[in-house]
């Protein structure tokens, strides 16, 4: 029994490590765009512009990212799914950021990697997420996966008022500190 446990222990440890870092996309070849997390105070010209995409909201109305990004306010594009435990655990932090900074020029667009519309809708209600939500309901085959190289969720992009992607995958205290720096709070 001890010998069998020794053989399985590395597998168990690896499985736990993966489970604690977020939901991973199954391996696939994508046209990844690497956007390194960066100092949001650096000149915007150093960062790439967002790549536009179009997806429906919960009512089926099509929206383009360009309707929101580069329109003079800060935008967080939040990639998540109702079935993703780490996404749901992070959501109170994202809601707090929205409530604290929305009136100061901060908005969020949720992009769901769900396949089931009812689960998606219920999670938005349960987690009290008042911002715009988009999804093509294709799960990991969501068009944004290849556009932005999303390999794990939760994931996000912080886009400045001019439309430059200035940071990626800000979570927890990192998101709060970046927004405090942007909106000049201590």
């Amino acid at each position: 029994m001890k010998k069998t446990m020794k053989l399985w222990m590395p597998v168990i440890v690896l499985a736990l490590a993966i489970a604690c870092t977020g939901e991973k996309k199954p391996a696939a070849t994508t046209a990844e765009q690497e956007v390194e997390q960066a100092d949001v105070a650096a000149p915007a010209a150093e960062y790439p512009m967002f790549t536009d995409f179009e997806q429906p909201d919960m009512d089926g109305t099509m929206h383009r990212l360009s309707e929101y990004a580069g329109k003079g306010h800060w935008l967080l594009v939040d990639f998540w799914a109702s079935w993703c435990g780490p996404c749901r655990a992070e959501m109170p932090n994202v809601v707090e950021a929205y409530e604290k900074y929305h009136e100061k020029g901060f908005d969020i667009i949720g992009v769901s990697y769900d396949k089931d519309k009812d689960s998606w809708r219920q999670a938005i209600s349960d987690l009290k997420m008042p911002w715009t939500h988009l999804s093509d309901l294709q799960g990991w085959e969501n068009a944004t996966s290849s556009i932005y190289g999303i390999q794990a969720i939760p994931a996000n992009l912080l886009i400045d008022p001019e439309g430059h992607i200035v940071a990626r995958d800000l979570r927890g205290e990192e998101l709060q500190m970046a927004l405090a720096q942007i909106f000049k709070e201590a």
Side-chain angles (χ1 to χ4, degrees):
M1 178 69 171
K2 286 184 180 181
K3 190 172 188 174
T4 305
M5 248 342 237
K6 272 186 167 178
L7 294 173
W8 282 100
M9 191 56 71
V11 173
I12 293 169
V13 170
L14 179 60
L16 286 171
I18 290 170
C20 292
T21 60
E23 299 293 334
K24 301 276 187 205
K25 176 181 178 179
T29 57
T30 62
E32 289 187 30
Q33 293 182 349
E34 279 303 314
V35 180
E36 296 297 323
Q37 184 173 321
D39 178 7
V40 295
E46 296 177 16
Y47 302 110
M49 293 293 289
F50 72 92
T51 300
D52 208 6
F53 62 85
E54 183 177 50
Q55 293 197 5
D57 64 17
M58 288 191 300
D59 298 322
T61 303
M62 297 301 286
H63 295 273
R64 298 190 72 77
L65 181 59
S66 56
E67 294 172 35
Y68 307 94
K71 301 295 182 188
H73 60 270
W74 288 86
L75 180 68
L76 186 74
V77 182
D78 187 45
F79 304 96
W80 72 289
S82 65
W83 47 262
C84 169
C87 300
R88 293 179 76 103
E90 175 64 14
M91 208 50 70
N93 180 59
V94 179
V95 170
E96 178 185 338
Y98 180 84
E99 290 173 349
K100 187 172 184 179
Y101 296 108
H102 180 68
E103 295 298 320
K104 297 177 181 183
F106 174 67
D107 208 354
I108 300 174
I109 298 296
V111 178
S112 174
Y113 279 37
D114 276 285
K115 288 187 175 184
D116 181 73
K117 188 173 187 176
D118 292 334
S119 297
W120 175 39
R121 185 182 301 272
Q122 188 63 50
I124 291 167
S125 175
D126 291 349
L127 297 168
K128 298 174 178 39
M129 301 183 294
W131 50 85
T132 300
H133 293 274
L134 307 175
S135 183
D136 59 13
L137 295 174
Q138 298 299 309
W140 281 113
E141 300 306 316
N142 187 300
T144 62
S145 178
S146 62
I147 292 169
Y148 288 108
I150 305 298
Q151 296 293 312
I153 54 175
N156 61 48
L157 305 171
L158 184 61
I159 301 176
D160 75 6
E162 291 77 41
H164 298 96
I165 300 169
V166 297
R168 184 175 181 137
D169 297 330
L170 296 172
R171 293 191 195 112
E173 190 61 30
E174 284 182 329
L175 175 61
Q176 297 297 335
M177 288 179 4
L179 294 174
Q181 178 184 355
I182 289 164
F183 295 105
K184 308 292 188 250
E185 292 188 0

